[in-house]
């Protein structure tokens, strides 16, 4: 670059840096606050805010949250739902995307329109709920996994990906006598690792962070995923009494429930926050392919 | 191979669309969707003439309209700012940090809002230096929209900037050099080189956002509702949930939902048309 900066330019660049630092601080400070607060003695936290004396710190919140059966069950359920959902979504979208990318498929644009319509128009909450109910899926794990499995974005994403796979590869395999299924499984699929990875990550994170379907379809608390457990702790203020021993006075209970909340936030969000930097480039790839078509 | 996706779509996407005809029926669970009597637009009229209608409709519209107006420019600004960062490593790290909130769940974000904005929370601890009374952020209707929109920006703006950052990275540096030689300053170059580059993407993002104006997040609004902030916090999706699934008035609730969907489609088509006109024929479809 040979760009020469005038004094005005340098001033703007300085402002630019300042604003970026501010933006980063605005994003990070709340998170840092939560992490520090989760270690704080609750009475110190309520009276004087954060403190950096080790003597004011405690692991009490984490002890309570990590031994809470509802949290542990929620974690287990969330891992199951997210993995199963990711698996199903990837299979369905890859197959559909592959089929739609093949020019020999008749009625491609008709099918595509059929999918696209559902992006912008839907039957609504109640008819969907009634359908799930009539199919007997209420209060089963399937209610959370199946209805959302077809995602039009994912189909577009994989169709775009497969369009980029050279036709010659398939033709060569065909000449070698491979069947359509064989071509897909042993030629196309091994090349598709990036798209599979992108879709699986998206689906996993989305399902991990959602609570709505589980809330309307699952009454049984044993089936509740982590987000529903968090909802009762963080938003409905229902800290499980068994988490706090009965001998403690009400006031103490209230204080303790505060750091239990902080600890719950850290415990539930940390896994994703630690993992995503490693997958960042895949997430970015997904956004790009999806939007630039 | 198309079959699984096709079947699932027909069942779970088109099934409910068919099911939406209960909006035109006096639904009785015993007689089923087909067996119930037709009542025409009765349920729609009931909603349009109900005393709640104006409030709920305007709440939905205001929340998403203001959200769009405030939220749409932020990712663009972030991208333009990031584009000025010279060192790739630094830029990467800043992006990494700005993305973080995108990976935090709605439940946790709203949970954090309740904690931070509670009368004894950190924000009020800060404010207590200035005011004597703690501010009841979460229970006052007048704060709901601000909290909703600003926290949305906090969560999503960094992530939403990705696509603009990517587009800006494709700008030929020679263009900037040439403009620089011609005496264009930084702001002029941003205005005449960077902005036109990302304009088509801005148009598409805008159309998509405008098309979903009426379908703004049930998930977050519902969590943020308290007994006292409902005058501004009740929006169509949460209303549909409450009368439909909580009170069991299926037909009426479906009518409200359908009304919402139709407005959405109309908005999408209109905005696409307008943007196409303004954007030299470049629309979503």
């Amino acid at each position: 670059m040979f760009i020469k900066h005038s004094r005005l330019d340098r001033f703007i660049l300085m402002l630019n840096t300042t604003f970026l630092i501010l933006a980063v601080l605005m994003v990070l400070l709340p998170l840092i606050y939560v992490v520090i607060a989760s270690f704080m003695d609750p009475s110190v936290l309520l009276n004087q805010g954060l403190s950096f004396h080790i003597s004011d710190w405690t692991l009490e919140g984490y002890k309570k949250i990590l031994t809470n059966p509802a949290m542990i069950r929620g974690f287990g359920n969330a891992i199951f739902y997210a993995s199963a959902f990711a698996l199903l979504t990837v299979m369905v979208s890859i197959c559909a995307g592959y089929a739609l990318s093949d020019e020999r498929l008749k009625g491609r644009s008709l099918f595509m329109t059929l999918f696209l319509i559902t992006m912008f128009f839907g039957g609504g909450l109640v008819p969907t709920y009634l359908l799930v109910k009539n199919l007997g899926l209420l209060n089963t794990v399937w209610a959370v996994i199946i209805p959302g499995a077809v995602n039009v974005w994912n189909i577009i994403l994989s169709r775009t990906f497969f369009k980029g796979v050279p036709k010659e590869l398939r033709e060569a395999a065909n000449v070698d006598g491979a069947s359509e299924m064989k071509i897909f499984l042993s030629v196309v699929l091994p090349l598709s690792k990036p798209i599979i990875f992108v879709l699986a990550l998206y689906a996993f994170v989305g399902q991990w962070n959602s609570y709505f379907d589980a809330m309307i379809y699952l009454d049984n608390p044993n089936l509740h995923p982590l987000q529903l457990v968090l909802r009762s702790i963080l938003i409905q203020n229902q800290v499980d009494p068994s988490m706090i021993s009965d001998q403690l006075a009400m006031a103490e209970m209230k204080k303790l429930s505060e750091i239990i909340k902080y600890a719950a936030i850290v415990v539930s969000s940390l896994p994703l926050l630690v993992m995503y930097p490693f997958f960042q480039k895949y997430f970015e790839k997904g956004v790009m392919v999806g939007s630039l078509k | 191979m198309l079959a699984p996706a096709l079947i699932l779509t027909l069942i779970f996407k088109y099934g409910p669309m068919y099911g939406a005809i209960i909006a035109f029926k006096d639904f009785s669970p015993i007689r089923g969707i087909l067996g119930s009597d037709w009542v025409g637009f009765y349920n729609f009229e009931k909603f349009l003439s109900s005393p709640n209608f104006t409030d709920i409709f305007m709440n939905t519209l205001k929340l998403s309209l203001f959200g769009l107006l405030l939220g749409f420019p932020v990712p663009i600004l972030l991208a333009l700012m990031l584009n000025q960062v010279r060192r790739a490593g630094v830029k990467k790290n800043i992006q990494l940090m700005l993305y973080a909130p995108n990976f935090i769940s709605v439940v946790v974000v709203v949970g954090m809002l309740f904690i931070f904005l509670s009368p004894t929370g950190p924000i009020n601890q800060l404010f207590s230096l200035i005011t004597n009374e703690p501010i009841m952020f979460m229970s006052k209707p007048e704060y709901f929209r601000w909290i909703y929109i600003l926290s949305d920006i906090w969560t999503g703006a960094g992530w939403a900037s990705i696509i603009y950052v990517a587009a800006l990275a494709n700008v030929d540096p020679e263009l900037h050099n040439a403009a620089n030689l011609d005496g264009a300053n930084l702001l002029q170059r941003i205005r005449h080189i960077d902005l036109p580059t990302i304009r088509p993407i801005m148009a598409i993002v805008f159309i998509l956002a405008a098309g979903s104006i009426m379908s703004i997040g049930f998930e977050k609004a519902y969590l943020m509702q308290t007994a006292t902030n409902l005058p501004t916090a009740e929006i169509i999706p949460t209303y549909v949930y409450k009368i439909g699934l909580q009170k069991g008035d299926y037909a009426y609730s479906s009518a409200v939902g359908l009304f919402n969907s139709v407005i959405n489609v109309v908005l999408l088509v209109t905005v696409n048309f307008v943007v196409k006109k303004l954007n030299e024929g470049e629309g979503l479809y």
Side-chain angles (χ1 to χ4, degrees), chain B residues 219-236:
Chain B
E219 301 213 346
K220 191 165 159 201
Y222 182 67
L223 292 174
M224 280 179 64
Q225 287 179 351
T226 60
T228 46
N229 69 11
L230 282 182
T232 57
E234 191 78 285
I235 55 176
I236 295 182

Side-chain angles (χ1 to χ4, degrees), chain A residues 37-46 57-65 67 233-234 237-264, chain B residues 115:
Chain A
S38 68
F39 289 106
M40 293 282 304
D41 183 322
S43 44
V44 180
L45 182 65
L46 280 176
W57 289 23
T58 167
L59 285 173
E60 220 35 44
Y62 286 97
K63 274 188 200 147
K64 304 285 181 202
I65 209 72
T67 53
I233 295 175
L234 293 177
N237 267 317
Q238 290 165 351
V239 171
D240 186 350
S242 67
M243 274 197 248
I244 303 166
S245 82
D246 306 320
Q247 283 91 341
L248 291 173
M250 270 307 277
E252 284 299 311
M253 255 176 82
K254 219 177 156 253
K255 282 183 192 165
L256 196 52
S257 79
E258 277 303 303
I259 57 163
I260 288 180
K261 287 183 186 176
Y262 286 113
Chain B
I115 295 178

Side-chain angles (χ1 to χ4, degrees), chain B residues 35-58:
Chain B
S36 300
D37 298 325
W38 289 99
V39 289
F41 283 92
Y42 170 78
N43 286 313
F44 292 87
E45 279 159 20
K46 187 171 146 195
F47 178 52
L48 292 176
S49 60
S50 85
N52 300 330
F53 172 73
T54 328
D55 284 346
I56 297 175
F57 182 74
M58 288 314 285

Side-chain angles (χ1 to χ4, degrees), chain A residues 94-208:
Chain A
I94 294 284
C95 289
Y98 182 62
L100 289 170
S101 75
D102 192 330
E103 280 150 23
R104 290 168 300 173
L105 180 78
K106 288 207 180 82
R108 270 186 315 151
S109 62
L110 174 75
F111 291 131
M112 209 52 222
T113 317
L114 212 59
F115 286 123
L116 282 176
I117 288 174
T118 68
M119 269 182 101
F120 302 109
F121 194 77
L125 175 69
V126 170
T128 311
Y129 173 83
L130 286 179
L131 178 80
V132 170
K133 190 177 168 192
N134 290 337
L135 290 172
L137 297 179
L138 229 48
N139 259 321
T140 69
V141 296
W142 305 114
V144 182
I145 296 169
I146 299 180
V150 184
N151 179 317
V152 181
W153 266 133
N154 291 348
I155 295 180
I156 297 178
L157 230 62
S158 44
R159 185 187 67 153
T160 313
F161 176 86
F162 288 122
K163 273 190 177 163
V165 175
K167 250 195 304 197
E168 290 73 21
L169 268 178
R170 280 199 326 239
E171 280 158 9
N174 200 6
V175 170
D176 290 344
S179 67
E180 281 295 326
M181 207 57 209
K182 184 125 204 291
I183 294 176
F184 178 68
L185 290 179
S186 52
V187 178
V188 179
L189 218 48
L191 289 174
S192 323
K193 278 191 200 120
I195 186 72
I196 292 178
F197 207 56
V198 166
L199 294 183
L201 276 179
Y202 266 70
F204 190 93
V205 172
Q207 184 66 34
W208 179 271

Side-chain angles (χ1 to χ4, degrees), chain A residues 71-93:
Chain A
M71 272 298 274
I72 296 168
R73 213 170 37 222
F75 249 104
N77 286 339
I79 292 175
F80 172 72
Y81 293 138
S83 317
F85 179 73
L87 189 72
L88 185 67
T89 307
V90 168
M91 286 196 315
V92 171
S93 341

Side-chain angles (χ1 to χ4, degrees), chain B:
Chain B
M1 290 183 75
L2 198 57
L6 215 51
I7 292 169
L8 284 175
T9 302
L10 287 179
I11 297 178
F12 289 104
K13 295 291 183 345
Y14 285 93
M17 285 188 209
Y18 165 74
I21 59 171
I22 67 169
F24 302 96
K25 296 223 167 190
D26 178 17
F27 182 69
S28 121
I30 304 155
R31 297 167 66 185
I33 295 181
L34 284 179
S36 300
D37 298 325
W38 289 99
V39 289
F41 283 92
Y42 170 78
N43 286 313
F44 292 87
E45 279 159 20
K46 187 171 146 195
F47 178 52
L48 292 176
S49 60
S50 85
N52 300 330
F53 172 73
T54 328
D55 284 346
I56 297 175
F57 182 74
M58 288 314 285
N59 282 347
T60 316
L61 202 63
K62 277 185 196 159
L63 190 61
S64 38
L65 213 59
F66 296 157
L68 181 65
L69 291 180
L70 286 175
F72 180 71
V74 180
I76 299 170
L77 279 174
L78 275 180
L80 290 173
M81 279 163 36
L82 278 164
N83 195 43
Q84 295 304 326
V85 178
R86 282 294 114 89
R87 268 182 286 174
V90 177
K91 185 172 157 190
K92 194 111 216 142
N93 282 325
I94 299 178
Q95 280 183 284
L96 205 61
M97 291 186 267
L98 292 179
Y99 294 167
N102 182 58
F103 292 89
I104 298 174
S105 72
V106 215
V107 175
V108 168
V109 170
V110 177
M112 280 168 65
L113 288 176
F114 273 107
I115 295 178
F116 280 121
L117 299 174
S118 86
T120 54
I123 302 285
N124 267 313
Q125 279 180 355
L126 266 181
F127 278 15
S128 69
L129 304 172
I130 317 165
T131 56
N132 294 323
E133 285 286 298
I135 305 171
M136 315 296 271
F137 288 104
M138 296 306 282
S139 51
K140 288 270 176 62
E142 60 263 41
Y143 298 126
F144 175 81
R145 268 175 216 134
W146 282 104
I147 300 173
Y148 183 100
I149 292 168
L150 291 178
S151 61
D152 247 17
I153 293 177
W154 183 80
T155 323
W159 188 249
S161 69
I162 290 184
I163 176 166
Y164 300 114
V165 172
L168 286 172
N170 289 333
V171 175
D172 185 356
E174 286 303 317
L175 271 176
H176 278 284
N177 288 341
N180 188 244
L181 284 179
D182 289 343
N185 67 33
L186 187 59
L187 284 184
Q188 286 167 328
R189 280 184 282 124
I190 289 177
R191 201 177 140 217
H192 296 288
I193 301 174
D194 289 348
L195 273 181
T197 311
I198 55 177
R199 206 176 62 172
I201 298 173
M202 282 165 59
I204 290 177
V205 173
F206 188 82
I207 296 170
L208 285 175
S212 53
I213 266 194
M214 300 297 285
S215 54
I216 38 155
F218 167 95
E219 301 213 346
K220 191 165 159 201
Y222 182 67
L223 292 174
M224 280 179 64
Q225 287 179 351
T226 60
T228 46
N229 69 11
L230 282 182
T232 57
E234 191 78 285
I235 55 176
I236 295 182
T238 56
Y239 184 65
V240 167
Y241 171 71
K242 283 176 193 166
I243 49 169
L245 296 190
Q246 288 183 342
K247 295 208 181 110
D249 193 345
Y250 291 152
Y252 178 51
S253 166
S254 301
V256 178
L258 204 57
F259 169 80
N260 200 43
S261 292
V262 171
I263 293 191
N264 235 338
V265 173
V266 172
L267 270 173
L268 179 76
V269 174
T270 321
V271 173
N272 188 53
F273 177 77
V274 173
V275 171
K276 229 173 180 170
K277 281 263 135 82
L278 296 176
N279 201 28
E280 296 148 6
E282 279 285 328
L284 187 59
Y285 53 85

